[in-house]
């Protein structure tokens, strides 16, 4: 038997999912890492390939690693180490519509010999590459929990995100783990956004006016926290929370995808980069879609454009007394 050992990976360099408006081809990784094991006692011939399709089945791109021999794990103690299978190239440009949710299905397949093997259930793995309105370092499954304990009065956690074009942060999704006797349900926190200062959180750009509490909605379930006011963001920012106590708040932690280099915490005056391999299950949402399913009085306003139609200039009037961010698209998006 030959088998995949780990989950199917994202084809992006840094994220499992990202906003459609933020995508460009530079976000795609050069290759990915695939763990394949030969569970037989002898060397076998193995074919590996992947294909990328849209939700309606149209092919976007594909790769064929050809036939390569794979040595037995039981005697060699190693996985497939031939690059064509272990580190396949990614030569894929996703046809992303920046105005819509885009989902692509990445399917990896193994075949022992020519016809396959008798244990085919472990010969296919699939990843859903999503371009919507949010960033995610995680794949949606919490193998562990993450939090900072301190004897002090406050704890700060910050997560780094890099935007390619300016966008408006409207909400943050957080997956809080259920704990014994709901020990973390009353830990108060404030959402905070910082700018970048020499590779770590700098000045505060946003902070909640009223503290929040973890909402516990079940295993691997996110709760949405809408900002008091939308925040225009450009470039690198850090999004996270300030706890009003040093208790362990227990946020979902995905151990299958590692982004520890972007995760920081602070219990005193100095920021410290996390050393734990994994990804915090905290996802910032951008634009109006980040408010869907929720009613926020602060976001209720009307506007009109005149003259309409126009061939040159136009005016935008709004009844809101808050600053607004206007996006203009041509007919091709």
């Amino acid at each position: 038997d030959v088998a995949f050992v780990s989950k199917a990976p994202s084809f992006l360099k840094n994220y499992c999912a990202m906003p459609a408006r933020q995508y460009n081809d530079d976000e795609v990784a050069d290759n990915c890492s695939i763990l394949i094991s030969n569970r037989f006692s002898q060397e076998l011939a193995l074919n590996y390939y992947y294909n990328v399709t849209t939700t309606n089945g149209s092919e976007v791109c594909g790769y064929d690693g050809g036939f390569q021999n794979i040595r037995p794990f039981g005697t060699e103690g190693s996985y497939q180490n031939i690059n064509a299978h272990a580190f396949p190239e990614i030569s894929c440009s996703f046809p992303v519509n920046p105005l819509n949710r885009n989902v692509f299905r990445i399917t990896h397949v193994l075949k022992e010999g020519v016809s396959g093997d008798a244990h085919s259930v472990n010969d296919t793995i699939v990843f859903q590459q999503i371009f919507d309105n949010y960033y995610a370092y995680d794949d949606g499954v919490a193998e562990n929990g993450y939090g900072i304990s301190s004897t002090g009065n406050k704890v700060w956690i910050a997560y780094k995100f890099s935007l390619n074009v300016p966008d408006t942060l409207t909400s943050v999704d957080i997956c809080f783990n259920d704990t014994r006797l709901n020990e973390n349900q009353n830990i108060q926190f404030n959402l905070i956004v910082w700018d970048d200062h020499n590779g770590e959180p700098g000045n505060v750009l946003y902070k909640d006016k009223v503290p929040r509490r973890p909402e516990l909605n079940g295993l691997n379930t996110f709760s949405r926290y809408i900002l008091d006011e939308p925040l225009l963001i450009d470039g690198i920012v850090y999004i996270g929370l300030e706890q009003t106590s040093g208790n362990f708040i227990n946020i979902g932690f995905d151990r299958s995808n590692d982004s520890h280099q972007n995760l920081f915490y602070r219990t005193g005056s100095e920021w410290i980069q996390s050393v734990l391999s994994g990804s915090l299950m905290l996802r910032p949402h951008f634009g109006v879609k980040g408010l869907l399913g929720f009613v926020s009085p602060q976001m209720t306003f009307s506007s009109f454009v005149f003259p309409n139609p126009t061939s040159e200039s136009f005016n935008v009037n709004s009844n809101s007394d808050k600053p607004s961010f206007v996006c203009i698209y041509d007919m091709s998006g």
Side-chain angles (χ1 to χ4, degrees):
D1 182 33
V2 291
F4 286 112
V5 178
S6 59
K7 294 180 180 180
S10 169
F11 273 16
L12 302 178
K13 293 177 182 177
N14 300 306
Y15 304 104
C16 282
M18 68 182 300
R21 286 192 64 229
Q22 299 296 331
Y23 170 76
N24 60 50
D25 289 346
D26 290 337
E27 295 287 345
V28 179
D30 296 327
N31 53 49
C32 62
S33 177
I34 303 292
L35 279 183
I36 305 171
S37 176
N38 174 9
R39 296 157 51 85
F40 192 51
S41 59
Q42 300 176 15
E43 189 172 279
L44 296 174
L46 169 69
N47 178 229
Y48 159 80
Y49 63 90
Y50 71 72
N51 59 68
V52 181
T53 58
T54 62
T55 52
N56 62 13
S58 300
E59 184 168 349
V60 175
C61 65
Y63 170 89
D64 190 342
F67 280 94
Q68 306 286 346
N69 288 344
I70 178 171
R71 301 181 70 82
F73 182 85
T75 57
E76 302 290 334
S78 63
Y79 302 109
Q80 173 65 290
N81 56 12
I82 298 176
N83 285 346
H85 288 182
F87 300 100
E89 294 181 356
I90 302 175
S91 55
C92 188
S93 177
F94 293 97
V96 173
N97 183 334
L99 302 180
N100 296 325
R101 173 182 169 88
N102 303 257
V103 180
F104 300 93
R105 180 182 175 92
I106 304 173
T107 305
H108 304 259
V109 181
L110 296 177
K111 286 188 179 297
E112 177 191 330
V114 177
S115 59
D117 58 56
H119 307 284
S120 60
V121 69
N122 55 18
D123 293 349
T124 301
I125 52 177
V126 177
F127 185 85
Q128 299 280 0
Q129 196 75 70
I130 297 175
F131 302 92
D132 195 358
N133 71 321
Y134 65 90
Y135 282 103
Y137 288 109
D138 67 276
D139 63 13
V141 178
E143 286 84 11
N144 288 143
Y146 185 95
I148 305 298
S149 296
S150 171
T151 57
N153 294 326
K154 289 187 178 181
V155 170
W156 293 266
I157 299 175
Y159 220 1
K160 179 180 178 180
F161 297 90
S162 300
L163 278 67
N164 294 319
V165 296
D167 215 334
T168 305
L169 177 67
T170 53
S171 63
V172 178
D173 284 2
I174 305 177
C175 174
F176 289 104
N177 290 325
D178 286 321
T179 58
R180 184 180 68 91
L181 302 178
N182 292 326
E183 291 169 328
N184 65 337
Q185 69 177 356
N186 290 317
I187 299 177
Q188 293 188 337
F189 68 92
N190 296 304
L191 288 178
I192 298 190
V193 180
W194 298 265
D195 66 8
D196 178 74
H197 178 69
N198 297 328
E200 64 180 34
N203 298 314
V204 173
L205 303 177
Y206 169 90
K207 180 178 177 179
D208 281 338
K209 297 181 177 66
V210 179
R212 307 173 190 255
R213 288 180 171 82
E215 297 178 14
L216 310 175
N217 297 316
L219 183 65
N220 299 325
T221 301
F222 287 84
S223 299
R224 181 158 300 178
Y225 297 90
I226 297 177
L227 272 63
D228 298 329
E229 296 178 358
L231 178 66
L232 177 61
I233 291 178
D234 188 8
I236 297 174
V237 293
Y238 298 79
I239 301 172
L241 50 88
E242 172 194 68
Q243 291 176 217
T244 56
S245 69
N247 297 323
F248 190 87
I249 199 166
N250 208 313
I251 300 173
F253 198 58
D254 169 21
R255 295 304 293 265
S256 300
N257 299 279
D258 184 23
S259 62
H260 78 275
Q261 71 277 8
N262 298 308
L263 184 57
F264 298 80
Y265 68 90
R266 180 162 66 91
T267 58
S269 59
E270 300 292 330
W271 285 102
I272 301 173
Q273 187 181 75
S274 176
V275 297
L276 297 178
S277 177
S279 292
L280 194 69
M281 294 176 67
L282 180 151
R283 301 175 171 182
H285 284 249
F286 295 83
V288 176
K289 287 196 293 183
L291 304 170
L292 292 181
F294 299 88
V295 177
S296 175
Q298 295 92 338
M299 290 296 294
T300 303
F301 67 93
S302 61
S303 63
F304 61 94
V305 179
F306 66 93
N308 185 14
T310 181
S311 59
E312 295 181 356
S313 63
F314 62 89
N315 301 275
V316 180
N317 272 12
S318 171
N319 68 354
S320 173
D321 59 356
K322 302 184 187 308
S324 300
F325 179 57
V326 177
C327 291
I328 301 175
Y329 299 94
D330 62 16
M331 291 301 290
S332 63

